[in-house]
Amino acid sequence: MEMHSFPREPIAELNNEFPPYHRLASFMNRDPSYLVFRRFNLLNLRNLLVLQHEIAELEQRLNPLTSSSNISTIPEYKSLMSTIQEKLDLYNRALVAQAQLNKFGNPELTSVSDLRDWAIDHNCVDTVNHLHAMADSSEELLNLSVESVRDEKDWVYRVIERRLWSRFARQLRPVQDETGGTLYLFPDKKIHHVVRAIFTLLTSIILLIPIIILFFVEKGYPSLIVIVVSTALFSLIVAIATRSKNQEIMLTAAALLGKKLDSHEQGSIATCPATVGVTLLTPWNTSQHFNELNQRKPGLKYGSIVRLGPNELSVNCVDNGIRTIYGGGFEKSHWYTNLFLNYGERNMFSMIDSSSHSIRKRLMSNAYSKSFLQASSDLRELSQEIIFGRLLPIIESSAADQRPLDVLDLNLASTMDLMTAYFFGFSNSTNFLQDPNSRREFFNLYHSRKQYIFWPGELFSLLSFLGRFKTLLIPQWIDTANQALEDWCLKMCSSAKSSSSVQPTKESIQTCAVIYNSLSQPLLSSPKTSSAPEHDAIIASEALDQIGAGHETSGITLTYFMHELSQRPSLQSLLRTELLTLSPPIQYPSYITQHSLPSSRSLDTLPLLQATLMETLRLHAPIPGPQPRLTPPTPTALANSPPLPAGVRVSANAHCLHRNPEVFPNPEAWRPERWLDAKKEAQDEMMRWFWAFGSGGRMCIGRHFAMHLKNNRAIIEMKLVIAAIYTSYTTSIVDDTGIEQQDAYTALPRGEKLILEFRRCP
């Protein structure tokens, strides 16, 4: 059988009329979009079909020969196989070439038009027509540029390109043509950026408009109409302005509609008074949520309930307010876990469900109870050693040398030594009062992290998404600081664990690790703690949380107490007179009286000390920030609001509760007499609104250690410090610059200092 091939014209005949392509090549080289060539689809397909036919005929001739037992000796077989190999090589190359051609996109019609216009201007029409003579449409043409591999420009892109290309072209390089004309070239990337920016702006507007409308439209048919219309409009724009597939458009519409209907289900929230500038934009609200002062102001301005965001309320009342929220059923959110997780273990403060919190609380509640603290010989002994052995010598030296002290630093050191001694035992505790270098190192690490708590608290998911790139928001040294603090606490835990075998010496005292033992013994016998490392991590997590919060809140309160008292010399005299009634009074040096402390019960009998401390906690609450909770599955009304759906973040804060003018007249004034002169009904009402330690089952477990509030009596380590100082010394202000509280969850003075001068009482 004869083989046939597609006839080819002699090259020589074509060369006789070969057009001058050098000018066209020069023009096409100026911009990738002009690299336009013919595909020759029909000719390529004909060539493939002819080769396929020839190989099929060769295959038919080969099949009979394969039945021979001695095929390798047949001369025709060798010749036939050689021909087949040549044909298959040509065929395979043609197939690969065709596949590669199909990967190139079609040129833009504007590029083809530009080529023809150039040819007309330069009298090269025949040249271009010769190239494109067989091209009936742009589908027969291809573009070799990288851009052509992408999707064809949509109509929005082309409209914007027509309007803006000249503006971008003039900003780029003009090319002078040999005929004297000027050709302006511009990259498509510029247009792409403009198109992307316009679509981003348009999408934002389309999404924000219904949110704004829904804010002012009451729940019902009008709001449903807004939801449906805006969703349909958004889906239409996605369909006509992008190349989204049908299923992508449907999913986008479904997601948008579902989100809006979910917000519509929470329409009862919209009936609450709102801070308009914050409520409309969730991201803005999120950033403002971290700004605690902005959360506190609305509570004073709008009354008992205010809407802070699309899914967040702040409550400023007792009945149907803090009693409902913090009395049970309103669980904590992951905000606590994200911020207060230590060693990968939850502590009481970061536990979300109340049942787990109750189990853990029972382990320590006895050691923090008022009766236990009053009878504790360990607390009495360590307090006596720290006050007489560390604190008062520093103050005496300051008074003798007329050298002012930073009492914020002094108070934080005192409360840290007291807290760690009670938790881990005196021999295993800190000695920040006598070791200023360790004190400064710790406080620098501890306080430097606070400016970055917004991201893990409010945008923890974003940090998880960023992964190792989270350092764009939180510097690496934050992780280093957290690790150093955990190592610091774990070291004290290890010392407390092995301290039972250490015998006290004459030079030092030995007290029990009261809180550590309260936790350790039940956890060791618990089947849920499967290993010693897990057991140690649980205790260390509780320790770091309690001593961190306990020392800071007590230190802040002592600092503002001393600031208020330092402005009132006459009140200092009255307080000293009251303190001298203690038996024995806390006087220093020890030769004035015996080296011992009065009983905590006797401290409870001092009304002026109680009143001044209560007023300090009211006006300068160390934690003025909100305590967020989530509404339960059962719809619940708060502060005369409609029933709220599940999952709404609600909170109260001490700053607002303590400034109700109906309960605390002239609330911005520090007036301890309000606690002394008020009638019983007024006293009871003030105590209902007093919220320095929270309320309910999850209120501060260390409130008795810091201050016990019952029948207007108090037993506190803070009272011991105050009594120790103001029995023998007076204070006056040297520098209180920046004494106003920080705008933060835990509020130190902005200046992070208070410089006072101490003088010995006559």
Side-chain angles (χ1 to χ4, degrees):
M1 184 176 295
E2 295 182 358
M3 293 184 294
H4 300 279
S5 61
F6 194 79
R8 299 185 178 92
E9 297 185 62
I11 297 297
E13 295 183 12
L14 289 177
N15 286 338
N16 292 337
E17 299 181 2
F18 206 79
Y21 288 125
H22 63 282
R23 294 169 64 189
L24 178 60
S26 177
F27 174 77
M28 294 172 67
N29 188 51
R30 291 172 178 173
D31 190 85
S33 63
Y34 295 146
L35 300 180
V36 179
F37 296 91
R38 283 192 59 185
R39 294 181 183 275
F40 292 104
N41 280 332
L42 184 59
L43 289 178
N44 279 313
L45 292 175
R46 286 179 180 177
N47 184 51
L48 281 171
L49 290 172
V50 169
L51 287 172
Q52 179 179 269
H53 176 75
E54 291 176 346
I55 294 172
E57 289 186 342
L58 290 172
E59 183 183 27
Q60 291 181 4
R61 291 174 55 187
L62 179 66
N63 288 337
L65 299 178
T66 56
S67 60
S68 173
S69 59
N70 196 9
I71 187 173
S72 60
T73 60
I74 302 175
E76 185 181 1
Y77 172 77
K78 294 182 178 181
S79 174
L80 192 59
M81 283 301 301
S82 176
T83 304
I84 289 175
Q85 289 174 0
E86 293 177 2
K87 292 294 182 180
L88 282 174
D89 184 60
L90 291 173
Y91 180 74
N92 291 335
R93 289 183 183 181
L95 280 177
V96 172
Q98 185 64 32
Q100 293 295 328
L101 285 175
N102 290 337
K103 293 182 179 180
F104 290 106
N106 299 322
E108 295 293 329
L109 294 177
T110 53
S111 299
V112 178
S113 177
D114 287 347
L115 281 171
R116 294 189 184 276
D117 292 343
W118 178 88
I120 294 172
D121 293 340
H122 295 78
N123 298 319
C124 295
V125 178
D126 293 339
T127 301
V128 176
N129 287 342
H130 181 81
L131 286 173
H132 302 161
M134 298 299 293
D136 297 330
S137 68
S138 62
E139 297 296 326
E140 174 63 15
L141 303 176
L142 61 83
N143 191 314
L144 294 179
S145 67
V146 177
E147 295 290 338
S148 64
V149 181
R150 301 177 181 175
D151 290 338
E152 184 181 352
K153 300 173 184 176
D154 53 42
W155 66 271
V156 177
Y157 181 96
R158 291 195 294 270
V159 169
I160 297 175
E161 185 179 47
R162 293 192 190 102
R163 298 291 183 268
L164 298 179
W165 76 267
S166 59
R167 181 182 300 275
F168 288 114
R170 292 189 180 93
Q171 294 175 359
L172 299 174
R173 55 184 180 89
V175 178
Q176 299 296 328
D177 195 79
E178 60 266 25
T179 61
T182 301
L183 179 68
Y184 293 100
L185 301 178
F186 67 96
D188 282 346
K189 289 183 180 179
K190 288 276 186 177
I191 304 296
H192 275 296
H193 292 329
V194 174
V195 172
R196 192 176 295 273
I198 291 176
F199 267 114
T200 301
L201 179 62
L202 181 62
T203 304
S204 301
I205 293 174
I206 292 173
L207 292 176
L208 287 175
I209 287 176
I211 294 176
I212 295 173
I213 294 175
L214 287 173
F215 177 75
F216 295 101
V217 173
E218 294 184 359
K219 184 178 179 181
Y221 288 110
S223 61
L224 287 175
I225 292 173
V226 171
I227 292 174
V228 172
V229 171
S230 61
T231 303
L233 179 61
F234 182 79
S235 303
L236 179 63
I237 291 179
V238 170
I240 65 176
T242 69
R243 294 184 172 274
S244 300
K245 299 177 181 179
N246 292 337
Q247 61 267 32
E248 293 171 341
I249 297 172
M250 293 175 65
L251 288 174
T252 301
L256 181 62
L257 182 61
K259 182 61 179 176
K260 289 183 177 179
L261 287 175
D262 180 63
S263 300
H264 183 261
E265 289 293 326
Q266 300 178 8
S268 55
I269 304 176
T271 63
C272 300
T275 54
V276 178
V278 175
T279 305
L280 297 180
L281 303 177
T282 301
W284 173 253
N285 168 65
T286 302
S287 65
Q288 291 301 299
H289 174 71
F290 179 65
N291 189 327
E292 308 298 350
L293 186 59
N294 281 319
Q295 282 223 331
R296 300 195 287 266
K297 283 182 178 178
L300 298 173
K301 179 179 179 181
Y302 292 95
S304 59
I305 189 167
V306 58
R307 184 184 179 197
L308 299 177
N311 198 43
E312 185 165 5
L313 297 172
S314 179
V315 174
N316 189 40
C317 59
V318 176
D319 298 325
N320 292 324
I322 59 174
R323 281 191 171 181
T324 304
I325 297 171
Y326 302 96
F330 286 63
E331 299 290 4
K332 287 186 172 182
S333 68
H334 287 284
W335 181 81
Y336 292 90
T337 304
N338 297 340
L339 279 180
F340 302 104
L341 195 70
N342 304 318
Y343 306 94
E345 293 287 345
R346 292 180 179 177
N347 46 65
M348 275 202 308
F349 191 66
S350 59
M351 287 178 174
I352 295 178
D353 62 295
S354 298
S355 58
S356 300
H357 174 271
S358 298
I359 294 172
R360 183 70 56 82
K361 183 179 179 179
R362 282 196 292 270
L363 302 180
M364 295 175 285
S365 58
N366 180 61
Y368 278 121
S369 66
K370 181 181 180 181
S371 58
F372 186 92
L373 290 169
Q374 288 179 333
S376 173
S377 59
D378 291 298
L379 178 59
R380 183 180 182 83
E381 191 171 356
L382 68 87
S383 299
Q384 184 169 288
E385 184 68 22
I386 291 172
I387 289 174
F388 282 102
R390 300 179 186 176
L391 175 63
L392 290 178
I394 294 174
I395 295 176
E396 175 65 21
S397 175
S398 171
D401 299 340
Q402 296 184 352
R403 175 175 42 85
L405 289 176
D406 179 1
V407 296
L408 175 62
D409 187 51
L410 185 74
N411 290 329
L412 291 174
S414 301
T415 53
M416 177 61 82
D417 287 357
L418 289 165
M419 282 292 303
T420 54
Y422 191 64
F423 201 105
F424 298 112
F426 183 83
S427 62
N428 310 310
S429 65
T430 61
N431 187 3
F432 281 176
L433 280 169
Q434 295 179 330
D435 188 354
N437 291 331
S438 297
R439 178 174 76 224
R440 293 190 190 100
E441 181 182 1
F442 173 85
F443 289 147
N444 286 338
L445 287 174
Y446 188 82
H447 296 302
S448 63
R449 308 167 303 152
K450 291 186 177 181
Q451 58 181 314
Y452 297 100
I453 66 172
F454 163 72
W455 299 106
E458 300 294 346
L459 295 176
F460 183 79
S461 299
L462 176 61
L463 292 182
S464 301
F465 174 77
L466 291 176
R468 61 189 180 93
F469 297 106
K470 71 176 183 179
T471 52
L472 297 172
L473 303 176
I474 299 179
Q476 183 65 42
W477 62 263
I478 293 293
D479 291 336
T480 305
N482 288 331
Q483 185 62 52
L485 292 173
E486 289 189 349
D487 293 343
W488 169 84
C489 183
L490 198 59
K491 184 178 180 180
M492 286 191 289
C493 287
S494 299
S495 297
K497 188 176 183 180
S498 57
S499 64
S500 58
S501 60
V502 178
Q503 298 298 321
T505 65
K506 295 181 180 180
E507 291 77 19
S508 65
I509 67 168
Q510 182 84 4
T511 65
C512 293
V514 179
I515 305 300
Y516 181 89
N517 292 338
S518 298
L519 276 171
S520 178
Q521 295 168 3
L523 287 175
L524 281 174
S525 59
S526 173
K528 294 184 178 181
T529 50
S530 56
S531 63
E534 182 182 0
H535 164 268
D536 293 341
I538 293 173
I539 297 178
S541 180
E542 287 292 351
L544 188 55
D545 177 71
Q546 291 182 33
I547 64 180
H551 94 275
E552 191 172 20
T553 53
S554 297
I556 291 171
T557 303
L558 285 170
T559 299
Y560 280 103
F561 180 95
M562 297 171 74
H563 180 257
E564 295 290 355
L565 215 62
S566 296
Q567 302 174 66
R568 300 166 175 85
S570 59
L571 187 59
Q572 291 188 52
S573 298
L574 292 174
L575 180 61
R576 182 170 185 262
T577 300
E578 184 179 80
L579 293 173
L580 287 171
T581 64
L582 292 170
S583 180
I586 310 177
Q587 291 182 299
Y588 187 83
S590 57
Y591 61 77
I592 296 177
T593 183
Q594 66 181 90
H595 193 124
S596 63
L597 296 174
S599 69
S600 56
R601 290 181 177 86
S602 64
L603 287 169
D604 275 347
T605 64
L606 305 181
L608 183 57
L609 179 59
Q610 167 76 2
T612 50
L613 197 51
M614 287 288 289
E615 183 65 358
T616 301
L617 285 165
R618 182 197 68 81
L619 188 60
H620 304 289
I623 300 182
Q627 309 296 325
R629 298 290 191 271
L630 297 177
T631 53
T634 303
T636 306
L638 294 173
N640 299 319
S641 73
L644 301 173
V648 178
R649 185 154 78 170
V650 295
S651 64
N653 62 77
H655 179 92
C656 292
L657 290 166
H658 292 176
R659 282 165 173 76
N660 184 347
E662 296 180 0
V663 180
F664 305 101
N666 195 8
E668 294 295 340
W670 189 80
R671 297 176 60 242
E673 59 270 20
R674 75 171 80 242
W675 300 94
L676 297 170
D677 301 338
K679 296 180 180 180
K680 186 179 184 305
E681 294 77 9
Q683 285 270 5
D684 292 343
E685 187 65 8
M686 286 192 295
M687 290 304 299
R688 280 185 359 110
W689 285 76
F690 187 82
W691 214 57
F693 300 104
S695 60
R698 304 196 70 158
M699 68 186 301
C700 174
I701 192 174
R703 63 193 180 277
H704 299 304
F705 188 86
M707 180 173 186
H708 180 74
L709 302 173
K710 186 176 182 181
N711 299 323
N712 302 320
R713 300 299 180 97
I715 174 172
I716 51 165
E717 284 297 310
M718 287 190 294
K719 284 188 174 181
L720 285 173
V721 173
I722 293 169
I725 293 174
Y726 284 98
T727 299
S728 302
Y729 305 93
T730 62
T731 58
S732 59
I733 296 173
V734 175
D735 183 5
D736 64 350
T737 305
I739 192 60
E740 62 276 6
Q741 286 186 273
Q742 292 176 352
D743 189 3
Y745 180 78
T746 304
L748 290 160
R750 286 188 183 275
E752 296 189 359
K753 70 179 189 305
L754 174 61
I755 311 299
L756 299 183
E757 182 180 38
F758 290 82
R759 291 184 181 272
R760 172 169 283 282
C761 295

